[in-house]
Amino acid sequence: MRWTCTLIPTMKETPVEAEAKSHVLLLRAGMIRKLGSGTYSYLPLGQRVLNKIVAIVRREMDRSGALEILMPALWPVEIMAESGRLEVFGEDLFRFKDRHGREGVLAPTHEEVVTALVRDNVSSYRQLPLNLYQIQTKFRDEVRPRFGPLRTREFIMKDAYSFHLEQVSLEQTYQEMFRAYCRVFKQCGLDYVVVEAESGAMGGALSQEFMVPSAIGDDLYVECAACGYAANVERADVAPPPPACLKGDCELKVVATPGATTIEQVSRLLNVRPEQMIKTLIYRADGRPVAALVRGDHELNEGKLARALSTPGVEPADAQTIESVTGAPVGFAGPVGLKGVEIIADHAVMHVEDAVTGANQADAHLVGVVPGRDFGADRIEDIRTAADGDPCPRCRRVMKLSHGLEVGHLFQLGTKYSEAVGATCLDAEGRARPYVMGCYGIGVNRIAAAVVERFADENGIVWPPAIAPYEVVVIPLDMSEQKIVAAAESAYGMLLRAGVDAILDDRSERPGVKFHDADLIGFPLRVVVGKGFLNTGQLELQVRRDERRAFLRPEELAQRTQELLAQLHASAPAPAGENPSQRGK
Ligand SMILES: [Zn+2]
């Protein structure tokens, strides 16, 4: 490609609306442009990056035995009503009416459609396992699209869905997908952490996420450097502390706390730290109220609470229920004297000496509360969200909290969707059984943005060769000098013939502008033809990543370029192992 024949509208200024590094650089490098809230156009260079990522994903999916299909993004609303996901997605779902007044949705993911497709076209266990995937646009009406292409309302995903008769077959395909994902991210040059993820209301099912560490990542995970345990904070277990041994000699007293209903307000009013307080949260589980206790500085984890209660889900009780359970308005609940409701406490609660809690009466709290002495819990469980510094559930060493960008997700679905849409197949005995399913997603645009977040310096993007818009830029520094132009043309031609993906910067621009744009866009290699060529007959080959440079004769160029590209590719961060729960670096 010749620079003057393509469209690369680079920008000098940093766009004001862009917060994230990837957003700024992709805009400035002329690779993307915003259309509306959370929607972006990909210009020629940006589209080349996406195409290369898609090619890697497609190759690895095909290699794993998955079959590519394409399903519509436009659905009749009924198919989501059937599975119950209208409520699950709620406002995140794009809904509309067509000209005939029929309601439709734009697909957020494709579980329902693919399950119905298999229900109607597969009948025997002999056709299993079956893994179907597509690379297609998804839509989610994010409350707050942000960070440019990292969190958008329209995005490209690779989503795969596998169908099995038995759990053991699902587990095999799941491992196959895991290995394919490791290969995909390794080839894209990304380092990642595989974290255990929340499996939601399905219970017990395995789910893992591929996270790229990033300060602006909207996912939080904890990681234990000692044993390698890593989990999304939503999912992470916390090692229980040793049994509490409290002195219990403080005096239990009621104190007035008019209008102070939050941890922050009470903490300020009584001058106590949040970790000395006990939060009492009234929830509804299976139609009955329960009281969940967590320390003032901890967050209750609804998924863990639901699992502890062996129920699909819990929801915060309404004000009326809270008043009838505690006898006090919202904000003054406490475990002391609480009757007729199951009390489930987090481990840490039982260690708070001289605690502060609500007094179950308006405008009052209790101080000097001693767990065990003043109240008992029916059950003591791990029901809080993990935090930085918590003990590892496997080895009890300290875990570190990090932000990550989720680029891939593996999920054992079980029979949730096959039961919802009545998708069964006949086993060897001729019995109809619901399909056991898995689903596997990769965010294509997110890979591009995550790579920019991870690999950029003060001058611009540093693309790994495999997904760079072009591998090499050939830069003639003086377009008015015939010998320089001819040498650059010749170098460009040699690279193309050698199968190198090259672009020739044939603009009549100053050298400074050409170098600036080459750095900003982040081509892995630059071939520079300057004044020196006229004297020495040598070209300069420069590496974007580490600014290495070497002079060489034109006839050496193709081979040296291929060697350097292979070297850059091999030295990209690589997964440590292709095992679940292992960290890739
Ligand atoms: Zn550990």
Side-chain angles (χ1 to χ4, degrees):
M1 178 57 69
R2 286 161 195 279
W3 201 297
T4 54
C5 298
T6 182
L7 176 64
I8 312 177
T10 56
M11 298 157 71
K12 284 199 181 61
E13 308 299 326
T14 299
V16 285
E17 81 272 18
E19 310 158 85
K21 180 164 59 176
S22 55
H23 190 190
V24 170
L25 290 174
L26 289 167
L27 282 169
R28 286 191 55 211
M31 301 179 88
I32 62 166
R33 287 295 182 264
K34 182 174 174 174
L35 175 65
S37 170
T39 56
Y40 287 85
S41 301
Y42 283 75
L43 276 61
L45 291 191
Q47 180 61 18
R48 288 182 70 84
V49 171
L50 291 187
N51 283 344
K52 289 185 178 188
I53 296 169
V54 163
I56 291 170
V57 170
R58 182 174 278 130
R59 188 169 63 231
E60 293 303 334
M61 291 306 292
D62 292 347
R63 195 176 148 192
S64 76
L67 304 170
E68 185 168 5
I69 60 171
L70 182 61
M71 295 177 277
L74 188 61
W75 298 3
V77 74
E78 289 77 17
I79 194 155
M80 286 205 77
E82 209 177 357
S83 71
R85 286 213 300 173
L86 273 184
E87 292 75 35
V88 174
F89 277 101
E91 302 258 276
D92 284 352
L93 199 62
F94 280 105
R95 298 173 71 159
F96 62 91
K97 277 209 172 77
D98 71 10
R99 62 167 68 192
H100 305 293
R102 290 182 296 233
E103 217 190 323
V105 302
L106 293 177
T109 61
H110 277 71
E111 281 83 355
E112 289 86 350
V113 171
V114 76
T115 311
L117 192 69
V118 169
R119 175 193 63 199
D120 299 340
N121 294 282
V122 177
S123 53
S124 164
Y125 72 97
R126 288 190 189 85
Q127 294 163 279
L128 304 180
L130 186 64
N131 191 4
L132 300 173
Y133 81 96
Q134 64 173 349
I135 294 166
Q136 205 237 24
T137 304
K138 304 267 183 273
F139 299 88
R140 286 184 206 169
D141 196 357
E142 287 274 352
V143 184
R144 201 157 67 102
R146 60 190 300 216
F147 297 144
L150 274 172
R151 197 201 282 187
T152 53
R153 303 201 297 168
E154 177 183 326
F155 50 93
I156 302 166
M157 257 185 88
K158 185 286 298 173
D159 46 330
Y161 306 88
S162 69
F163 295 82
H164 315 263
L165 190 63
E166 309 279 1
Q167 172 71 17
V168 61
S169 166
L170 165 62
E171 283 164 16
Q172 280 165 5
T173 298
Y174 186 96
Q175 294 305 327
E176 189 64 54
M177 285 293 96
F178 187 96
R179 289 189 287 271
Y181 276 37
C182 291
R183 296 194 297 267
V184 165
F185 298 123
K186 180 182 174 180
Q187 286 172 49
C188 291
L190 270 180
D191 55 342
Y192 56 83
V193 181
V194 181
V195 307
E196 289 179 20
E198 183 52 71
S199 51
M202 269 71 84
L206 181 62
S207 174
Q208 289 171 305
E209 290 163 343
F210 284 72
M211 293 279 191
V212 175
S214 167
I216 62 158
D218 45 17
D219 280 285
L220 284 169
Y221 63 92
V222 286
E223 194 183 8
C224 171
C227 74
Y229 175 79
N232 194 309
V233 285
E234 287 293 308
R235 178 70 191 83
D237 296 327
V238 178
C245 181
L246 306 180
K247 289 201 297 286
D249 54 1
C250 45
E251 189 192 344
L252 182 68
K253 274 191 303 199
V254 179
V255 293
T257 52
T261 57
T262 66
I263 290 288
E264 201 195 356
Q265 289 164 344
V266 178
S267 160
R268 212 178 312 126
L269 186 68
L270 300 181
N271 194 26
V272 292
R273 287 166 299 125
E275 48 269 44
Q276 210 188 318
M277 302 176 61
I278 296 172
K279 270 192 281 201
T280 304
L281 302 155
I282 309 298
Y283 270 80
R284 290 194 79 83
D286 296 327
R288 68 193 163 96
V290 294
L293 312 183
V294 291
R295 217 168 69 181
D297 58 324
H298 288 156
E299 287 296 323
L300 178 87
N301 184 311
E302 294 184 359
K304 286 184 177 182
L305 180 63
R307 272 197 299 278
L309 294 166
S310 307
T311 178
V314 295
E315 54 176 356
D318 55 35
Q320 204 185 345
T321 307
I322 294 173
E323 289 202 38
S324 77
V325 168
T326 67
V330 175
F332 299 97
V336 180
L338 203 57
K339 296 231 163 48
V341 60
E342 184 179 8
I343 297 178
I344 178 162
D346 183 70
H347 290 287
V349 164
M350 306 313 282
H351 283 248
V352 187
E353 177 94 64
D354 193 6
V356 174
T357 76
N360 295 328
Q361 50 181 285
D363 298 329
H365 277 74
L366 290 173
V367 298
V369 176
V370 180
R373 183 192 74 179
D374 301 323
F375 72 90
D378 296 300
R379 298 163 63 181
I380 302 167
E381 305 267 359
D382 174 13
I383 57 166
R384 69 177 172 92
T385 298
D388 192 39
D390 272 340
C392 170
R394 292 204 190 138
C395 74
R396 291 182 173 268
R397 290 206 178 79
V398 169
M399 297 192 289
K400 185 172 158 287
L401 182 76
S402 303
H403 286 264
L405 296 166
E406 182 194 330
V407 289
H409 197 163
L410 307 175
F411 199 27
Q412 294 189 6
L413 286 173
T415 56
K416 179 187 160 89
Y417 292 96
S418 49
E419 283 177 7
V421 307
T424 59
C425 90
L426 298 177
D427 66 12
E429 279 80 47
R431 288 173 304 193
R433 289 161 58 175
Y435 290 99
V436 180
M437 291 173 58
C439 75
Y440 320 93
I442 286 183
V444 171
N445 319 69
R446 271 205 154 196
I447 292 180
V451 163
V452 178
E453 284 295 326
R454 287 299 273 171
F455 309 111
D457 59 21
E458 64 280 10
N459 296 323
I461 305 170
V462 184
W463 290 107
I467 63 168
Y470 291 94
E471 293 169 312
V472 181
V473 57
V474 179
I475 307 178
L477 289 184
D478 185 352
M479 291 299 288
S480 65
E481 178 59 68
Q482 270 315 304
K483 281 184 179 154
I484 288 178
V485 173
E489 289 278 356
S490 161
Y492 171 62
M494 281 189 288
L495 289 173
L496 291 187
R497 284 192 297 278
V500 174
D501 196 13
I503 182 169
L504 174 67
D505 188 350
D506 57 345
R507 294 176 297 169
S508 299
E509 288 283 1
R510 287 178 291 110
V513 173
K514 293 189 174 189
F515 282 127
H516 180 271
D517 283 349
D519 276 350
L520 177 61
I521 294 163
F523 305 108
L525 298 178
R526 289 189 298 251
V527 175
V528 179
V529 191
K531 288 270 187 279
F533 176 79
L534 300 176
N535 304 323
T536 64
Q538 288 193 319
L539 310 168
E540 191 178 356
L541 187 55
Q542 304 177 343
V543 181
R544 170 72 177 87
R545 192 194 291 177
D546 53 16
E547 294 301 320
R548 253 183 302 159
R549 44 192 69 199
F551 289 92
L552 39 76
R553 297 191 306 280
E555 57 271 28
E556 298 172 294
L557 178 66
Q559 198 192 340
R560 273 304 289 148
T561 300
Q562 284 168 326
E563 284 167 9
L564 267 176
L565 286 172
Q567 212 182 76
L568 288 176
H569 187 65
S571 66
E578 296 198 339
N579 261 329
S581 307
Q582 276 201 322
R583 190 194 173 95
K585 266 257 163 127

